[in-house]
Amino acid sequence: MKEELLSKIRDRRAVIGIVGLGYVGLPLAMEFADAGFHVIGFDVSQRVCREIMAGNSHIQDVPGETVAKHVKAGKFEATTDEKALGRCDAISIAVPTPLSKTRDPDMSYVNAATETVARNSHPGMVIVLESTTYPGTTREVLQPRLEEAGRIVGEDTFLAFSPERVDPGNATWHTKNTPKVVGGVTAACTEVASALYAACIDTVVPVASAEAAELVKLLENTFRAVNIGLVNEMAIVCDKLGVNVWEVIDAAATKPFGFMRFTPGPGIGGHCIPLDPHYLAWKMRTLNYKTRFIDLASEINSEMPEYVVRKVARALNEDQRSVKGSRVLIMGIAYKRDIDDMRESPALDVMRLLEERGAQVDYHDPWVNSFTENGHTKAGVALTREVLERADAVVIVTDHSGVDYQLVADHAGLIVDTRNSTSKLKPSKARIVPLAAIRNTDKA
Ligand SMILES: NC(=O)c1ccc[n+]([C@@H]2O[C@H](COP(=O)([O-])OP(=O)(O)OC[C@H]3O[C@@H](n4cnc5c(N)ncnc54)[C@H](O)[C@@H]3O)[C@@H](O)[C@H]2O)c1
């Protein structure tokens, strides 16, 4: 069974199924199609499947032409019919893994996808979970369900975990050239899953178990969350000391070894960094262990929007204004630079906190024309001289490139700059309040 599957992968006869065609699933589907496989995408969303079959891409990093090319050539199909998965030899699952309201793992999507895959499984399949999750999920959740469906994992069915490392908007590192870690439930599972990914990804990194692979992803994202938390705390420290945090970081980064540059900001966003470490924290709570670094980083990072809003309130106060009734313009609503993804964006928290205090908040974001939150749709405003002059405060939350920050500084009265976007501008009329107050150093 193993040899037959390896041979199908080698000569591209293997039919690939991708469950969940989002930020992770669609780019992966395109890599398999580019490598010469026939790919079936299964998604519960009719809208997503319709768009794809019409030759469009709903994911920023995947060009519509690539989708159209593969659909037209009959190499890629997207469907809501789960029976299509029965035609597959390999299935990668990339469905969401959010947190519940109590910040515990919400495994409902993984459970539903597992049921679907198990129902449509047959001997001679390799099945890989890509969704970020707690260590143990592949073995404890997927394996038993597949065995209930009659599969023998490690013998006629090969099961592994392989974390996705998609970085939306990253022009250098994408699905194909980012090394891919693969860990199987058995050694044979690792071997087959590694062969599968090696067919379309430049570098595959096999590890000894599914648990190791699950933990790799959590280490990577916890590392980022903790270091961002550290540097955010450093911004608060610098604020109290009146030292320029950006100067401190830039100077520390001249050390050629032993230091890695992270930058502070208004909080963390996206589908990964704010959420993934909680999967590990939750798992460890079930084993009576408290992951203190995760909890502390999360506490500091999630307090940053409130910190920013306090800065805005203090700055308006210095202008004899209250937050209530002030017009505030938020620059950048997406969670990070040069993408349109708003999931968990700290800008939404900044906006909500300002509105709760009675401010009238507009936003400008070249990547997000409008968004809907809690049933309310809000449209962005154009960046014009009038909009800037009308604002009592401008808050730079996400520093998209291509934005004319000189225009902002020339026409706004007050700017709270959480990203250091204004440090290199020509002198302007705006009063600029940085993330950390600068007193002891010479600003010029
Ligand atoms: N977005 C990223 O940058 C990123 C990076 C690395 C890892 N991840 C992880 O990858 C996983 C997927 O994230 P994403 O960003 O691609 O999510 P997404 O929301 O962009 O896409 C998920 C897709 O799965 C579909 N879906 C939901 N339930 C389904 C089901 N039962 N069967 C079939 N389809 C279903 C949805 O309709 C949606 O189209 C998550 O675990 C995430 O943590 C995401």
Side-chain angles (χ1 to χ4, degrees):
M1 201 64 82
K2 186 180 91 178
E3 291 312 319
E4 195 187 327
L5 198 47
L6 287 171
S7 142
K8 279 186 175 177
I9 292 168
R10 252 192 318 273
D11 60 20
R12 308 298 189 254
R13 274 179 301 129
V15 175
I16 313 291
I18 306 288
V19 175
L21 295 168
Y23 284 86
V24 168
L26 189 60
L28 185 65
M30 294 302 93
E31 291 306 338
F32 277 116
D34 282 348
F37 290 96
H38 183 86
V39 182
I40 299 172
F42 167 73
D43 200 292
V44 289
S45 163
Q46 292 205 346
R47 181 186 55 80
V48 165
C49 294
R50 226 180 8 246
E51 279 287 303
I52 289 172
M53 291 312 280
N56 300 321
S57 168
H58 60 297
I59 300 296
Q60 185 190 321
D61 291 337
V62 177
E65 306 83 73
T66 310
V67 174
K69 179 182 78 184
H70 290 308
V71 169
K72 202 159 160 231
K75 302 245 27 130
F76 179 44
E77 53 188 291
T79 177
T80 54
D81 178 7
E82 65 172 66
K83 296 222 162 38
L85 293 173
R87 288 192 273 136
C88 296
D89 302 291
I91 294 182
S92 297
I93 303 171
V95 295
T97 42
L99 291 176
S100 69
K101 283 204 160 45
T102 52
R103 301 197 84 65
D104 288 340
D106 172 358
M107 297 300 287
S108 57
Y109 299 91
V110 169
N111 288 337
T114 302
E115 285 297 323
T116 307
V117 170
R119 267 199 305 272
N120 294 285
S121 65
H122 56 74
M125 265 188 167
V126 48
I127 296 162
V128 185
L129 179 63
E130 296 235 352
S131 302
T132 306
T133 183
Y134 61 83
T137 305
T138 311
R139 199 181 299 273
E140 293 160 16
V141 177
L142 275 76
Q143 184 175 354
R145 185 59 197 95
L146 287 168
E147 287 175 349
E148 258 173 53
R151 307 287 77 81
I152 307 167
V153 170
E155 288 183 28
D156 72 8
T157 301
F158 303 91
L159 176 63
F161 183 83
S162 178
E164 186 45 62
R165 288 168 159 171
V166 167
D167 180 18
N170 191 324
T172 310
W173 296 104
H174 40 84
T175 303
K176 185 171 172 47
N177 67 357
T178 304
K180 193 129 176 64
V181 172
V182 177
V185 162
T186 67
C189 295
T190 308
E191 185 188 344
V192 178
S194 297
L196 173 70
Y197 285 109
C200 71
I201 308 263
D202 294 346
T203 312
V204 171
V205 184
V207 293
S209 63
E211 288 75 11
E214 289 160 339
L215 210 40
V216 166
K217 175 72 181 178
L218 296 175
L219 171 61
E220 290 166 8
N221 283 356
T222 302
F223 172 84
R224 284 193 66 74
V226 167
N227 280 287
I228 295 169
L230 173 66
V231 85
N232 277 336
E233 181 161 78
M234 194 51 70
I236 296 168
V237 166
C238 285
D239 191 53
K240 294 201 177 292
L241 295 173
V243 175
N244 184 344
V245 65
W246 306 103
E247 186 181 34
V248 172
I249 293 166
D250 286 346
T254 60
K255 185 176 176 185
F257 48 88
F259 183 83
M260 189 179 278
R261 191 176 197 279
F262 281 84
T263 48
I268 50 175
H271 188 326
C272 292
I273 315 291
L275 310 188
D276 299 350
H278 292 285
Y279 271 73
L280 182 56
W282 173 85
K283 175 70 185 181
M284 296 319 293
R285 276 201 300 280
T286 69
L287 299 174
N288 284 328
Y289 183 80
K290 188 167 150 56
T291 50
R292 287 155 290 172
F293 273 108
I294 292 175
D295 293 356
L296 185 56
S298 166
E299 192 181 317
I300 293 173
N301 291 332
S302 58
E303 281 171 8
M304 289 310 286
E306 177 67 42
Y307 171 85
V308 170
V309 168
R310 280 202 304 273
K311 285 239 152 230
V312 177
R314 202 172 312 132
L316 283 169
N317 194 40
E318 283 157 9
D319 286 346
Q320 321 282 340
R321 288 181 191 280
S322 59
V323 176
K324 192 175 173 122
S326 285
R327 289 190 88 109
V328 180
L329 176 67
I330 290 185
M331 302 274 305
I333 197 95
Y335 84 85
K336 72 171 183 178
R337 183 191 294 171
D338 297 346
I339 62 165
D340 59 4
D341 192 343
M342 303 201 30
R343 291 180 292 180
E344 308 287 322
S345 176
L348 294 173
D349 291 323
V350 172
M351 183 177 265
R352 178 181 49 80
L353 290 167
L354 285 166
E355 284 175 344
E356 277 170 14
R357 286 164 167 80
Q360 221 180 309
V361 186
D362 286 318
Y363 82 90
H364 168 75
D365 191 314
W367 290 85
V368 184
N369 291 332
S370 69
F371 69 91
T372 303
E373 176 87 344
N374 299 329
H376 295 290
T377 298
K378 194 162 178 99
V381 295
L383 191 64
T384 63
R385 192 182 159 145
E386 294 69 39
V387 164
L388 291 163
E389 283 172 352
R390 208 171 52 209
D392 298 305
V394 173
V395 190
I396 301 175
V397 177
T398 300
D399 54 343
H400 292 304
S401 49
V403 170
D404 187 350
Y405 291 106
Q406 190 65 55
L407 178 84
V408 179
D410 287 343
H411 297 289
L414 166 68
I415 301 174
V416 177
D417 181 3
T418 70
R419 299 284 190 177
N420 204 27
S421 313
T422 54
S423 63
K424 294 195 173 67
L425 298 180
K426 292 193 293 259
S428 63
K429 79 171 182 94
R431 180 162 72 93
I432 296 174
V433 175
L435 190 67
I438 305 165
R439 286 191 305 273
N440 306 355
T441 51
D442 179 3
K443 247 205 277 186

